Amino acid sequence: MSEHSTDIVPSGLDGGYGTLAAWEVVPPPGVPPRGTAVLVPGFTGSKEDFEALLPLLAASGYRAVAYDQRGQWQSEGPDEIVGYGMDDFTGDLLKVVDQVAGDEPVHLVGHSFGGYVGRVAVVARPERFRSFTLLASGPSSLEDINFPPPGLLAQAVEAGGQEFLWQQMSTAMFAADTVPDPERLKFLHDRILATEKANILGILRTMETPPLADPAQLRAAGVPLLVAYGDTNDLWPPRVHERFAEQLGARRVVYPGVGHLPNEDVPQQVCDDLVAFWSAPVA
């Protein structure tokens, strides 16, 4: 865990099914508050994906909340796949926004599948969001993506469970000549085993239908948009992110030499870009 962990306060939020495990940071004394941000993790992720980023946002004046989606890691979730549809995930997100910000709109950051959830939520309730950042979150899990077909992967997970998925993902995450940190490796393994199998299968089922297939729907919501991504070994090639940003009329930030986790690999750069985006005048 990072040196910033003492700045992070664990909490529980009400979701549509049960309690969602969350982390919260607030600006330190003497730093004027500038707003609230909600950060949503992706497939097999959790609030810990933002551990390095959260304290940086707080130091910049933002209250920030990250949470495990239903059935992920430390959040409660149903045992049945039917409880993990897109309406369930977006309903949880909107409940979180209402709890942490009241009537005030928030800055939303969605990483990977968290961006899928955010897209639907922003279109459904644009007045709840001051901005929306798609962080390493491309347009589809079916085309132009370095990811197995969701339906095929779901069949393998159904047969082999979370351990099968861990073996596949750990092989992809760490190069043959890389020796991962044992503590981090244990955390990632524990996290995927603790994530509900129904969550994994439900998300894979949801991925078979691209959320808001027409980018015009999100553009028309009128919420300022940022597309941010690494240009090396992300799930989506840079040209896909670039085209997606153009279709959305979004601002764009690229992190050279970074893969699918800019929030972990270059958190200070991500923080600086988010703060610049959030502070920019609305066109």
Side-chain angles (χ1 to χ4, degrees):
M1 296 301 176
S2 80
E3 62 182 339
H4 302 294
S5 296
T6 55
D7 298 330
I8 295 172
V9 178
S11 65
L13 298 167
D14 292 332
Y17 175 82
T19 300
L20 301 173
W23 278 354
E24 179 178 353
V25 291
V26 297
V31 176
R34 304 174 68 180
T36 298
V38 173
L39 299 89
V40 187
F43 177 58
T44 72
S46 67
K47 59 191 177 302
E48 283 80 3
D49 295 342
F50 304 107
E51 182 180 9
L53 182 59
L54 288 170
L56 300 175
L57 294 175
S60 300
Y62 291 91
R63 179 187 178 204
V65 176
Y67 68 97
D68 301 347
Q69 296 202 67
R70 60 169 54 201
Q72 281 184 334
W73 187 216
Q74 296 174 323
S75 282
E76 296 177 348
D79 296 330
E80 301 298 325
I81 298 173
V82 70
Y84 294 94
M86 182 57 77
D87 288 346
D88 300 304
F89 291 115
T90 56
D92 288 345
L93 170 55
L94 292 170
K95 284 177 70 69
V96 166
V97 171
D98 288 343
Q99 288 171 76
V100 304
D103 295 332
E104 294 297 318
V106 304
H107 296 290
L108 178 63
V109 179
H111 176 252
S112 200
F113 177 74
Y116 287 19
V117 176
R119 281 150 65 176
V120 178
V122 167
V123 169
R125 297 277 304 280
E127 75 281 358
R128 301 302 291 122
F129 303 98
R130 292 175 64 179
S131 73
F132 176 34
T133 297
L134 292 132
L135 182 61
S137 182
S140 168
S141 293
L142 300 176
E143 299 176 349
D144 296 321
I145 183 173
N146 182 26
F147 190 83
L152 186 62
L153 186 55
Q155 292 177 21
V157 173
E158 187 72 70
Q162 293 96 316
E163 185 61 38
F164 166 83
L165 185 59
W166 165 251
Q167 295 300 330
Q168 300 303 306
M169 293 183 64
S170 60
T171 300
M173 282 189 297
F174 303 111
D177 59 349
T178 299
V179 180
D181 175 71
E183 183 179 353
R184 174 161 178 75
L185 197 64
K186 182 180 185 305
F187 164 72
L188 293 174
H189 188 213
D190 290 346
R191 179 173 71 177
I192 203 166
L193 293 182
T195 295
E196 292 280 354
K197 184 177 180 180
N199 165 283
I200 294 169
L201 294 174
I203 289 178
L204 289 171
R205 175 183 289 179
T206 299
M207 285 179 176
E208 293 188 277
T209 302
L212 304 177
D214 183 359
Q217 293 176 272
L218 182 54
R219 187 174 65 243
V223 174
L225 303 172
L226 174 67
V227 171
Y229 56 94
D231 68 356
T232 306
N233 296 324
D234 188 19
L235 295 179
W236 294 270
R239 60 178 173 78
V240 174
H241 286 296
E242 182 176 1
R243 183 174 67 242
F244 193 33
E246 291 174 353
Q247 293 172 332
L248 293 173
R251 302 178 191 184
R252 185 166 59 92
V253 174
V254 184
Y255 300 107
V258 172
H260 192 55
L261 292 165
N263 37 303
E264 293 188 1
D265 296 339
V266 286
Q268 186 64 64
Q269 293 180 44
V270 173
C271 176
D272 292 345
D273 289 328
L274 288 174
V275 170
F277 172 50
W278 295 343
S279 305
V282 178

